Amino acid sequence: MRIGFVGLGVMGRPMARNLIAAGHDLSLYRDKGDLDGHQCGSAAEVAERSEVVILMLPDTPDVEGALFGVDGVDESLKPGTLVIDMSSISPSATKTFAKRIEEQGCDYLDAPVSGGEVGAVQATLTIMVGGRPEAFERARPIFEVLGKNITRIGDVGAGQTAKVANQIVVGLTIEAVAEALLFAEKAGADPAVVREALMGGFASSRILELHGERMVNQTYDPGFRIRLHRKDLSLAVQAAAELNLALPNTAATQQLMNAAIADGDGDLDHSALHKTLGRTLGRDRS
């Protein structure tokens, strides 16, 4: 396929590389020049050259700007183009964006991912998709290059809703693992040994396995940055307010991430919530 890719950061770059390796013809915007694709001067040029346009950007305003700003995707869309937003953004904004794109005779899918940089590099991402079934089937060959667990959740916006739910589970579990290991340490037990013991029981999880090891070793290189996870939990808190729904532990974990960012740790891996919580024990874990 002739695919346009807008957003070539930590996640987008390896995803684009995998699509190129699979034989797709890519048009790229804001690439550093080390990918084997056509270098474009704007998102509009990407859309002009492509039958499918993929966006992988940090936040809702970034997606809105790429789609509808000056030299945005919408300026050059041809009827029948498929736009796939693989960013993690607001579900309600996603529905608005999709309506505007569909009014131009195009299809729109929201398809946020989970799996981090490792999943992007290894093409093992979990992909949560919202949109029409026909558009989903058209995009399936692309998704199968990028990930392993690919699910159409429902209509437009449902993919973003699933991603927000995913980030709630991940964020709260990281916080729980951090509390448990800090409790063990404060009580005089070796947190590394406690983690090994818990890995054999009902408390076992990928987060205890991977992020628990980072906490034990105090190695917090990203991974997935706290500031980006805080953005996702902010989306959850905002959506909960719109639904008149209380998410007390999500809000508390968001506040903990606020504290981490205030302490200058926003670009550390989200496992560094362990460091932030450690400060509450009166210990400097920097």
Side-chain angles (χ1 to χ4, degrees), residues 4-191:
F5 210 108
V6 179
L8 295 153
V10 171
M11 296 290 289
R13 183 169 300 278
M15 292 166 67
R17 185 174 287 114
N18 288 334
L19 289 169
I20 292 167
H24 295 289
D25 177 15
L26 259 67
S27 296
L28 309 166
Y29 179 48
R30 292 185 176 172
D31 177 42
K32 296 176 182 177
D34 61 340
L35 293 177
D36 186 15
H38 180 83
Q39 309 298 321
C40 296
S42 67
E45 184 183 349
V46 166
E48 185 177 4
R49 294 177 53 87
S50 305
E51 57 188 304
V52 178
V53 177
I54 297 174
L55 297 95
M56 189 61 176
L57 295 163
D59 205 346
T60 307
D62 303 296
V63 173
E64 183 173 22
L67 288 175
F68 309 113
V70 176
D71 292 328
V73 166
D74 75 323
E75 291 187 10
S76 299
L77 281 176
K78 302 175 291 293
T81 301
L82 172 60
V83 176
I84 307 174
D85 179 26
M86 304 191 77
S87 320
S88 297
I89 68 168
S90 162
S92 57
T94 290
K95 294 175 184 178
T96 300
F97 298 164
K99 183 178 180 181
R100 293 178 66 180
I101 295 297
E102 289 168 352
E103 286 173 349
Q104 295 184 237
C106 300
D107 281 318
Y108 193 100
L109 295 173
D110 56 297
V113 302
S114 179
E117 183 180 4
V118 172
V121 171
Q122 297 179 351
T124 57
L125 293 168
T126 291
I127 306 175
M128 297 156 271
V129 187
R132 296 191 309 111
E134 297 85 353
F136 174 70
E137 291 303 325
R138 181 180 171 191
R140 186 187 290 275
I142 294 172
F143 294 148
E144 289 175 346
V145 171
L146 302 175
K148 297 298 183 185
N149 183 18
I150 303 159
T151 307
R152 178 181 173 268
I153 307 298
D155 293 334
V156 165
Q160 297 295 351
T161 296
K163 178 59 187 288
V164 170
N166 178 87
Q167 295 303 80
I168 292 171
V169 172
V170 171
L172 270 61
T173 306
I174 287 174
E175 195 277 340
V177 170
E179 281 195 18
L181 295 181
L182 286 164
F183 164 76
E185 180 181 353
K186 189 70 172 179
D190 184 336

Side-chain angles (χ1 to χ4, degrees), residues 171-217:
L172 270 61
T173 306
I174 287 174
E175 195 277 340
V177 170
E179 281 195 18
L181 295 181
L182 286 164
F183 164 76
E185 180 181 353
K186 189 70 172 179
D190 184 336
V193 177
V194 170
R195 173 184 162 276
E196 287 293 330
L198 297 181
M199 283 297 299
F202 202 52
S204 178
S205 69
R206 287 286 287 169
I207 289 172
L208 179 62
E209 176 188 359
L210 299 178
H211 292 311
E213 184 176 25
R214 290 183 174 205
M215 294 174 191
V216 167
N217 296 330

